[in-house]
Amino acid sequence: QVQLVESGGGSVQAGGSLRLSCVVSGYIASITTIGWFRQAPGKEREGVARIWNGRGTTRYADSVKGRFTISQDNSKNTVDLQMNSLTPEDTATYYCATAPGLLHLTPVYYNNWGQGTQVTVSS
């Protein structure tokens, strides 16, 4: 079993920054991909960024490319999402999730999810 706990959400004005953190615990050896996703009210959950565990290989959604950075700290078992130049369109609940295979940003293939952290960006 894998447990995920997100933190770092909050409210910020457009143009600001936030850093989300996901603490990963449990059977970490089973994890191949760690991803960040978000879901706004009335919208489907969408992939934001993912990193392949221990490889450092990353991929981003086009909507966040150049503004968001995903990183992994193996010493702390955390995966962070640095979010810069935030816009109101980034407002959503952000989730981290893990998967046992080498995946990209399709939510349905991820089998462990955190409880989410709210990000609100005001104009």
Side-chain angles (χ1 to χ4, degrees):
Q1 282 285 5
V2 173
Q3 294 79 43
L4 307 168
V5 179
E6 305 98 332
S7 63
S11 297
V12 65
Q13 289 192 328
S17 299
L18 283 173
R19 188 177 184 89
L20 306 183
S21 186
C22 175
V23 178
V24 184
S25 61
Y27 188 40
I28 297 174
S30 66
I31 300 169
T32 305
T33 303
I34 305 117
W36 278 97
F37 298 81
R38 65 186 182 187
Q39 188 166 20
K43 294 189 176 181
E44 292 187 355
R45 190 168 297 188
E46 63 172 347
V48 174
R50 70 99 175 108
I51 188 166
W52 285 346
N53 190 17
R55 302 186 184 205
T57 310
T58 60
R59 177 166 287 196
Y60 298 90
D62 288 342
S63 58
V64 306
K65 207 171 289 184
R67 300 188 298 123
F68 290 12
T69 303
I70 188 171
S71 61
Q72 182 178 21
D73 187 334
N74 288 326
S75 66
K76 299 178 182 178
N77 287 338
T78 58
V79 176
D80 289 355
L81 184 69
Q82 177 66 43
M83 307 186 295
N84 298 328
S85 302
L86 287 162
T87 73
E89 289 68 38
D90 296 315
T91 295
T93 301
Y94 284 71
Y95 301 87
C96 68
T98 66
L102 291 175
L103 299 177
H104 295 310
L105 294 172
T106 305
V108 68
Y109 298 117
Y110 288 71
N111 57 355
N112 289 291
W113 291 83
Q115 82 289 350
T117 186
Q118 178 67 36
V119 171
T120 302
V121 184
S122 58
S123 57

